């Protein structure tokens, strides 16, 4: 049995938009988890890996301070923390290693519907409500505009109605919340999604090997998410046209068909989704007996 120090700790959001996706992803990497009574830690049953369930805002700090080896958190939180630490003259001791393709959103500036916005210069001498003060400050500095940021820890959208700010700078996903509050998006500061961050502290050989293994499995899980295994029959003469139509596939396997000289069976892993249009185009190129299967696991 490993000592607690030899176990990998991964910081994951306790309750929120990223929680289910994060846990599901790790379970798909083969990790079996037992919930503890207090539910602040999920213990790995079959691997020396535990999940610490915390507020998302705390995750970059926990990884930077080496309390956790890895963390899964939105890029918006990571960048805000990194800029915050840097503004205090402290480097962020974590590095971003994976984009996870969930938790998509953008940090945007928005102003009241119908107000006059003529580009970033319209922000000069205005008040902007946000909980992302560092990202906002960094943006204003980059575009050379001076504006006052007004800190709101939540419900930022209400600030213009309260007369506390001219603009807001907050996360947007569908845009529904902005519309419901009579606001319109004018600039995008950052495109965000959930990412994996890793501590920069040395882990030791044993732990590093385990982190590498988990990351390799993560890579496999992420790759198969869109991947499909496609099988079809085709005239040998159409081989090169068909190969060009297979989305995101490398070298397909081509096999002779029993009793047929001019037809072959083609099998390929497509690393992009296979849409109906693709199948129709393949059929038009002479393919028949088309079959598309999901890919469950992949190890390059
Ligand atoms: O308790 P804890 O601090 O852990 O949770 P939290 O309330 O701070 O975070 P949570 O669960 O709301 O969001 C976690 C992460 O999800 C964020 O840091 C982002 O990386 C990501 N994410 C993705 C979002 C959104 N989409 C999102 N739409 N985070 C927040 N929103 C909010 C936004 O702030 C606004 O109020 O949703 C509203 C806008 O949504 P639309 O769809 O109406 O545009
Ligand atoms: Zn939060």
């Amino acid at each position: 049995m490993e000592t607690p120090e030899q176990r990998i700790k991964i910081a994951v959001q306790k309750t929120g938009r990223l929680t289910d996706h994060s846990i599901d992803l790790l379970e798909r990497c083969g990790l079996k988890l037992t919930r503890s009574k207090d539910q602040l830690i999920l213990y790995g049953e079959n691997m020396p890996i535990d999940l610490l369930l915390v507020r998302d805002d705390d995750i970059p700090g926990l990884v930077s301070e080496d309390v956790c080896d890895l963390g899964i958190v939105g890029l918006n939180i990571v960048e805000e923390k990194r800029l915050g630490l840097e503004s205090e003259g402290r480097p962020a001791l974590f590095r971003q290693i994976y984009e996870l393709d969930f938790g998509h959103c953008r940090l945007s500036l928005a102003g009241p519907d119908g107000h006059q916005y003529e580009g970033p210069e319209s922000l000069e001498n205005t008040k902007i409500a946000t909980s992302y003060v560092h990202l906002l400050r960094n943006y204003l500095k980059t575009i050379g505009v001076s504006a006052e940021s007004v800190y709101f820890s939540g419900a930022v959208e209400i600030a213009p109605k309260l007369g506390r700010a001219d603009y807001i700078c907050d996360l947007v996903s569908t845009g529904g919340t902005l519309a419901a509050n009579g606001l319109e998006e004018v600039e995008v500061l950052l495109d965000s999604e959930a990412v994996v961050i890793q501590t920069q502290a040395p882990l030791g050989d044993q732990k590093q090997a385990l982190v590498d293994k988990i990351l390799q499995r993560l890579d496999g899980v992420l790759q198969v998410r869109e991947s499909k295994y496609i099988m079809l029959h085709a005239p040998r003469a159409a081989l090169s046209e068909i190969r060009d139509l297979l989305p995101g596939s490398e070298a397909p396997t081509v096999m002779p068909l029993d009793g047929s000289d001019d037809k072959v069976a083609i099998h390929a892993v497509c690393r992009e989704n296979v849409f109906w249009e693709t199948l129709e185009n393949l059929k038009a190129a002479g393919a028949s007996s088309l079959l598309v299967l999901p890919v469950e696991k992949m190890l390059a």
Side-chain angles (χ1 to χ4, degrees):
M1 184 73 186
E2 317 75 23
T3 62
E5 296 73 43
Q6 286 169 326
R7 296 181 68 86
I8 303 283
K9 287 188 226 58
I10 308 181
V12 168
Q13 189 185 24
K14 185 172 191 302
T15 344
R17 291 168 201 262
L18 306 183
T19 309
D20 289 347
H21 282 293
S22 306
I23 293 175
D24 178 58
L25 191 63
L26 292 165
E27 286 181 335
R28 279 196 283 143
C29 290
L31 182 62
K32 290 199 168 53
L33 297 161
T34 324
R35 288 200 175 237
S36 67
K37 279 203 198 83
D38 58 8
Q39 306 229 322
L40 294 177
I41 299 180
L42 303 185
Y43 293 100
E45 280 179 31
N46 57 340
M47 288 191 241
I49 298 175
D50 302 323
L51 309 193
L52 256 71
L53 302 181
V54 293
R55 294 230 15 218
D56 65 346
D57 316 71
D58 295 333
I59 293 175
L62 288 168
V63 176
S64 189
E65 287 155 27
D66 195 27
V67 178
C68 291
D69 308 290
L70 298 173
I72 299 181
V73 62
L75 181 64
N76 50 304
I77 303 277
V78 173
E79 285 301 286
E80 180 67 8
K81 179 73 177 183
R82 186 179 64 75
L83 291 169
L85 287 170
E86 282 172 11
S87 75
E88 294 167 12
R90 297 193 287 155
L93 297 176
F94 54 75
R95 58 198 167 90
Q96 184 197 318
I97 44 176
Y98 265 107
E99 291 176 346
L100 295 175
D101 202 20
F102 64 83
H104 287 278
C105 58
R106 51 198 189 274
L107 182 68
S108 290
L109 280 169
D113 276 338
H115 81 294
Q116 280 231 310
Y117 184 79
E118 279 149 14
E121 59 278 10
S122 298
L123 303 169
E124 191 72 43
N125 294 326
T126 59
K127 287 184 179 174
I128 308 174
T130 192
S131 15
Y132 292 88
V133 282
H134 298 291
L135 277 163
L136 175 61
R137 194 173 298 156
N138 189 58
Y139 170 75
L140 292 172
K141 197 169 139 199
T142 315
I143 59 168
V145 162
S146 83
E148 184 187 340
S149 76
V150 183
Y151 181 75
F152 268 63
S153 64
V156 180
E157 295 90 354
I158 201 89
K161 274 200 200 105
L162 298 177
R164 297 287 310 280
D166 307 294
Y167 290 89
I168 69 157
C169 169
D170 196 16
L171 298 178
V172 181
S173 156
T174 60
T177 307
L178 289 185
N181 285 283
L183 297 166
E184 61 185 0
E185 197 172 352
V186 293
E187 299 286 347
V188 176
L189 278 59
L190 177 79
D191 281 307
S192 181
E193 66 189 288
V195 297
V196 179
I197 51 171
Q198 184 183 336
T199 176
Q200 284 181 358
L203 293 178
D205 292 348
Q206 207 179 337
K207 268 178 118 177
Q208 188 60 55
L210 190 58
V211 165
D212 291 345
K213 183 170 169 167
I214 262 293
L215 294 179
Q216 192 181 40
R217 289 189 184 185
L218 204 59
D219 201 36
V221 170
L222 295 177
Q223 280 198 38
V224 301
R225 200 157 36 189
E226 290 275 280
S227 297
K228 296 282 178 280
Y229 193 76
I230 183 163
M231 303 194 278
L232 54 91
H233 293 174
R236 201 177 276 280
L239 202 56
S240 91
E241 189 183 350
I242 288 201
R243 199 175 279 172
D244 292 344
L245 285 169
L246 291 170
S249 77
E250 283 149 29
T253 309
V254 179
M255 289 162 289
L257 273 177
D258 205 18
S260 168
D261 286 340
D262 59 338
K263 273 196 157 190
V264 287
I266 302 174
H267 290 194
V269 173
C270 296
R271 286 172 195 262
E272 292 162 29
N273 217 337
V274 180
F275 296 104
W276 281 109
E277 289 75 14
T278 310
L279 295 184
E280 285 154 7
N281 291 340
L282 285 165
K283 199 167 160 53
S288 58
S289 305
L290 289 136
L291 205 57
V292 181
L293 305 170
V295 176
E296 193 181 289
K297 290 192 176 68
M298 195 189 280
L299 196 63

